[in-house]
């Protein structure tokens, strides 16, 4: 039991995962095609983003500038890929808890 726990901890510290074992799998990413509506929406967001970035904020009032900055943040948030991120320490902690529960 202690030997298995030590091995798991060592693998966690050195960052061993499936991508290191088989690097060819990481490059095989399925490409998804966007519908016409999605690509149109993305284009509109990009255009609006570029318009806001090109504006001179010094000529705007504080309220207008703040509203535009909030709009920029919303556009950026909509464009992000929201995934689940776990740190190595969190994974090790989860594994230790699972081992102790068994």
């Amino acid at each position: 039991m202690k030997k298995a726990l030590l091995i798991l901890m060592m693998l966690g510290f050195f960052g061993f995962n499936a991508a290191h074992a088989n690097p060819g799998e990481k490059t095989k990413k399925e490409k998804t095609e966007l519908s016409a509506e999605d690509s149109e929406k993305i284009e509109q967001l990009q255009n609006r983003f570029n318009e806001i970035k090109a504006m001179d904020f010094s000529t705007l009032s504080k309220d207008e500038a703040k509203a535009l900055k909030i709009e920029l943040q919303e556009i950026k948030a909509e464009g992000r890929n929201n995934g689940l991120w776990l740190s190595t320490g969190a994974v090790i902690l989860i594994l230790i808890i699972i081992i102790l529960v068994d």
Side-chain angles (χ1 to χ4, degrees):
M1 174 100 168
K2 287 183 181 181
K3 190 180 274 189
L5 180 61
L6 180 64
I7 291 171
L8 285 174
M9 288 176 60
M10 294 298 284
L11 290 176
F13 286 127
F14 291 116
F16 180 77
N17 61 27
H20 292 111
N22 193 359
E25 288 294 321
K26 194 172 187 179
T27 58
K28 294 179 183 177
K29 201 171 197 180
E30 292 184 25
K31 295 182 178 179
T32 56
E33 293 186 25
L34 297 174
S35 67
E37 295 172 355
D38 290 339
S39 59
E40 183 179 321
K41 184 176 181 181
I42 289 172
E43 188 176 330
Q44 289 174 349
L45 288 174
Q46 287 176 340
N47 291 337
R48 181 62 181 152
F49 182 82
N50 292 333
E51 287 175 8
I52 294 173
K53 288 300 252 184
M55 287 182 181
D56 184 18
F57 282 84
S58 63
T59 60
L60 301 174
S61 69
K62 285 186 178 183
D63 292 333
E64 292 171 336
K66 187 175 182 179
L68 286 175
K69 287 182 181 180
I70 291 172
E71 187 178 349
L72 273 177
Q73 289 174 353
E74 290 172 355
I75 291 172
K76 285 181 183 179
E78 193 170 333
R80 283 191 199 120
N81 182 8
N82 296 328
L84 177 65
W85 293 88
L86 290 175
S87 67
T88 305
V91 172
I92 291 171
L93 185 64
I94 291 169
L95 288 174
I96 291 172
I97 290 172
I98 291 172
I99 291 171
L100 291 176
V101 169
D102 287 338

